Amino acid sequence: MPLTPQLRQGIDRIRDYLFGGGYPDPMSNAEQLSYLMFFYLIEGLDEDNKLRAKGAKQHYDSVFAGDWTIRNPLNAPVAGQTTVPANNLRWSVWARGMTGQALVNWLRDEVFPFYAAIAEQSATNFMDGARLGIDEPTVLTQVVNLLDNLHLDEADADTKGDLFEHVLRQIKQAGELGQFRTPRHVIRSIVELVDPKIGETIYDPAAGTAGFLVAAYNHIRLANSSEHAIEEAELDGKRVTRGWGDKLSSSAASQLANSTFYGNDVDPKMVRLATMNLTLRGLPNVRILKRNALTTVMDRSEKAELGLPIDGYDVVLANPPFSGKLDRDRIVDDVKIGTTTATELLFLKYMLNLMKAGGRCGVVVPEGVLFGSTGAHKELRRQLVENNTVEAVLSLPGGVFQPYSGVKTSVIVFRKGGRTQQVQFLHADNDGYKMDAQHDTPIEADDLPALVQAFKDRAQLLPQWQQRETAAEWTEKYWFASADELRENDFNLSAGRYRPMSKAQAEHRNPIELLDELRAIEVELLEEIDGLRELLKA
């Protein structure tokens, strides 16, 4: 069953009902809906696991096996009864058999603790700190009924995950450190650029709701699918190709599920949402840690104890927080670069440290990282160019992160080690969605697919670029710059610096792009002022 407009509209109706019922906070509502959806969908997942185990002639214990010790005596079916069959914790039992205050009590006192007990045995306790927030009996009853009427038990794992993502889209506010939800079509493009493969370890140090990890999972499955196991689905108004991964051996499938994906986030809510998102897609053993990677260090023994790769990761995919500042004293020595406290620079240094030699990275950065003139900016870019292999910089359209932020961003794609020879610059004017305040209306104009293909063909395109007539008009949305050109420009990695200009391009340069550059320069100036202030205090 695909993610239909009716399913999306059903979720939107529930969201609107919550708002009208006195629950106006979109973040809290998305989190509460996520819990309810998880309780609903885990029942079907449990049945699927039971069938798979039976087919493979393996033992499987249902999460609903055995008895449950009642937490609130008032919830006992009979006075004095202390346990009930765990089967009573199934969605199909309480969601269709309880209403009003009884439903509130059962969910709050039994269902949430039941899943918390299950989560304690998982790779990450996604229910740590979770609680029922919709405690008005009439509202909760109606929300549960509306959700039950969507018949989510008929959906496959991909559809369940897609619907869960639709709920997460309602979170339209940035976090305190500048973190926000990355558009999924942008994530898919970055994953295609980096091209993670089966057998590699994949890490997101600022995982959010696990969008990059989910996209990498889908990318690997598609690359290992036969023709009959490939299908198209509609996501956010666009057609997306997906595969079942039927060509993966049992050992490869096990590796993909259990020892491929890793991540962490500072926000416990994000850790919970990420873990639920991955679990619904059949990845319950992925470990998402609640951790600030910039202020804590793990030694080899700690990594081994947590089951993390000891010697680094093959692939890093991330959209780390922008515009955040950390107390200088809290920043661990490993990620320090100059005197900066800017999270976007510290995360980039951290990711360099965590990659294996030859490892690949695709990271979203604010434009100021590419041309900033502080010592930290220049030194980080120098390290990237001189000690690593910068392969491409993709300039994203201004406003691509609306409604969270209007900051202009780019994607840096690089390998750890080696030395940069040529950088391919890719410039996107359109990403397939209208550039308005919400940035969610599909349009035909979309430069990303062609730019991804240009990156894949870069070895063939470089000679064409080098042999071009320099005086002729260059109409392609890609171009190259040599390492010598980068050195001459303080290792500036801004696509516009090396773009072959023409009179037409100069006269028609997008004023929004100019404003975005001015904004980035202003942010950089403020950071320099803050740095001087700290030095004067010392």
Side-chain angles (χ1 to χ4, degrees):
M1 181 179 79
L3 179 56
T4 64
Q6 291 75 21
L7 279 174
R8 288 193 292 267
Q9 290 165 8
I11 290 294
D12 292 341
R13 277 195 296 271
I14 297 172
R15 181 198 63 188
D16 294 341
Y17 181 80
L18 278 170
F19 187 86
Y23 296 89
D25 179 22
M27 177 66 176
S28 296
N29 289 348
E31 186 181 33
Q32 291 294 307
L33 265 180
S34 299
Y35 292 143
L36 293 175
M37 280 184 62
F38 186 80
F39 300 158
Y40 188 170
L41 297 174
I42 198 68
E43 183 173 350
L45 183 63
D46 185 66
E47 290 299 316
D48 290 344
N49 289 338
K50 192 185 299 182
L51 289 174
R52 287 196 194 100
K54 184 178 181 180
K57 297 182 179 179
Q58 297 174 342
H59 177 73
Y60 175 73
D61 288 322
S62 168
V63 297
F64 303 106
D67 293 327
W68 170 252
T69 301
I70 294 173
R71 299 299 191 261
N72 184 348
L74 296 177
N75 291 326
V78 178
Q81 184 174 339
T82 59
T83 62
V84 295
N87 205 56
N88 289 11
L89 280 300
R90 289 177 180 270
W91 171 280
S92 58
V93 174
W94 54 263
R96 296 162 191 170
M98 291 183 174
T99 59
Q101 189 62 47
L103 178 62
V104 172
N105 295 344
W106 186 255
L107 253 175
R108 182 190 62 212
D109 303 332
E110 312 301 337
V111 175
F112 270 77
F114 173 74
Y115 283 101
I118 293 174
E120 285 179 356
Q121 304 169 29
S122 303
T124 301
N125 186 350
F126 58 87
M127 293 294 291
D128 184 26
R131 63 180 185 83
L132 178 66
I134 309 171
D135 53 5
E136 205 289 316
T138 302
V139 174
L140 181 61
T141 299
Q142 182 67 359
V143 167
V144 168
N145 286 338
L146 288 170
L147 198 55
D148 192 51
N149 287 336
L150 295 180
H151 303 292
L152 301 181
D153 49 338
E154 300 173 9
D156 58 28
D158 285 326
T159 302
K160 292 171 184 176
D162 293 343
L163 195 59
F164 192 81
E165 285 281 357
H166 185 68
V167 172
L168 298 180
R169 287 189 67 203
Q170 312 311 319
I171 304 173
K172 295 186 176 180
Q173 62 192 54
E176 291 182 4
L177 291 178
Q179 69 268 40
F180 42 76
R181 184 177 184 273
T182 312
R184 271 30 185 179
H185 65 288
V186 172
I187 285 179
R188 288 193 294 272
S189 295
I190 296 171
V191 169
E192 281 196 69
L193 292 172
V194 178
D195 190 24
K197 294 178 170 59
I198 188 69
E200 295 182 320
T201 52
I202 303 168
Y203 177 54
D204 184 347
T209 57
F212 275 105
L213 300 182
V214 167
Y217 175 60
N218 289 336
H219 178 84
I220 292 172
R221 286 198 303 163
L222 178 60
N224 292 276
S225 295
S226 56
E227 187 176 347
H228 75 273
I230 294 176
E231 60 186 10
E232 282 197 344
E234 182 181 320
L235 290 178
D236 303 331
K238 297 289 183 178
R239 302 300 295 176
V240 176
T241 304
R242 289 199 295 220
W244 302 346
D246 61 309
K247 293 170 68 176
L248 292 168
S249 66
S250 57
S251 60
S254 176
Q255 182 180 30
L256 190 62
N258 300 302
S259 55
T260 295
F261 303 104
Y262 304 87
N264 41 252
D265 201 279
V266 297
D267 188 341
K269 286 185 178 180
M270 290 297 120
V271 173
R272 290 198 289 269
L273 293 173
T275 304
M276 285 190 283
N277 192 9
L278 292 162
T279 299
L280 290 174
R281 295 178 184 275
L283 297 171
N285 296 324
V286 174
R287 182 177 291 279
I288 306 294
L289 300 177
K290 179 187 175 298
R291 174 174 175 253
N292 188 334
L294 305 181
T295 60
T296 58
V297 177
M298 281 187 182
D299 59 28
R300 294 175 67 88
S301 62
E302 287 177 297
K303 291 178 182 178
E305 185 177 343
L306 291 169
L308 305 178
I310 294 175
D311 297 317
Y313 298 91
D314 298 296
V315 172
V316 176
L317 301 162
N319 176 19
F322 299 165
S323 70
K325 302 290 182 183
L326 290 174
D327 293 336
R328 197 181 307 277
D329 294 340
R330 295 180 59 214
I331 302 170
V332 297
D333 290 340
D334 286 351
V335 304
K336 285 181 178 177
I337 183 156
T339 60
T340 188
T341 59
T343 55
E344 60 267 28
L345 297 179
L346 299 172
F347 261 109
L348 197 50
K349 182 66 164 61
Y350 169 76
M351 288 185 280
L352 263 173
N353 295 345
L354 264 289
M355 294 167 64
K356 287 182 179 179
R360 307 184 307 290
C361 178
V363 57
V364 181
V365 296
E367 203 80 349
V369 170
L370 305 179
F371 60 77
S373 60
T374 70
H377 283 87
K378 291 180 180 179
E379 174 58 20
L380 190 56
R381 293 198 303 266
R382 186 197 68 79
Q383 290 182 21
L384 280 173
V385 172
E386 299 286 25
N387 304 329
N388 301 278
T389 308
V390 180
E391 296 183 324
V393 176
L394 166 62
S395 176
L396 295 172
V400 75
F401 285 105
Q402 293 287 16
Y404 313 97
S405 170
V407 66
K408 177 75 171 68
T409 57
S410 288
V411 178
I412 305 177
V413 180
F414 65 92
R415 291 177 182 267
K416 183 168 182 176
R419 197 172 189 186
T420 303
Q421 301 299 322
Q422 296 280 347
V423 175
Q424 183 184 40
F425 291 97
L426 307 161
H427 180 83
D429 290 307
N430 294 286
D431 69 335
Y433 292 86
K434 186 177 180 181
M435 290 297 168
D436 57 12
Q438 295 301 312
H439 191 57
D440 58 3
T441 303
I443 60 173
E444 287 296 322
D446 185 357
D447 296 323
L448 294 179
L451 292 176
V452 169
Q453 190 58 51
F455 175 78
K456 294 177 180 179
D457 297 338
R458 63 192 182 282
Q460 293 76 40
L461 296 176
L462 178 58
Q464 297 178 26
W465 162 261
Q466 293 172 328
Q467 296 163 19
R468 76 192 188 285
E469 176 57 57
T470 55
E473 182 86 2
W474 183 261
T475 59
E476 302 292 346
K477 293 192 175 183
Y478 69 84
W479 51 93
F480 295 83
S482 68
D484 286 339
E485 291 176 276
L486 299 178
R487 293 186 190 96
E488 291 169 4
N489 288 278
D490 278 335
F491 301 100
N492 189 309
L493 289 173
S494 177
R497 174 62 65 95
Y498 308 98
R499 185 171 190 170
M501 298 298 292
S502 69
K503 182 179 179 183
Q505 290 169 333
E507 289 179 351
H508 296 98
R509 192 173 180 199
N510 190 333
I512 299 297
E513 187 177 314
L514 292 171
L515 289 173
D516 287 333
E517 288 189 10
L518 287 173
R519 182 200 294 268
I521 292 170
E522 180 185 11
V523 169
E524 181 192 342
L525 286 172
L526 289 173
E527 183 181 336
E528 289 193 28
I529 291 171
D530 289 342
L532 287 171
R533 170 176 255 174
E534 290 297 320
L535 287 173
L536 289 172
K537 284 181 180 179

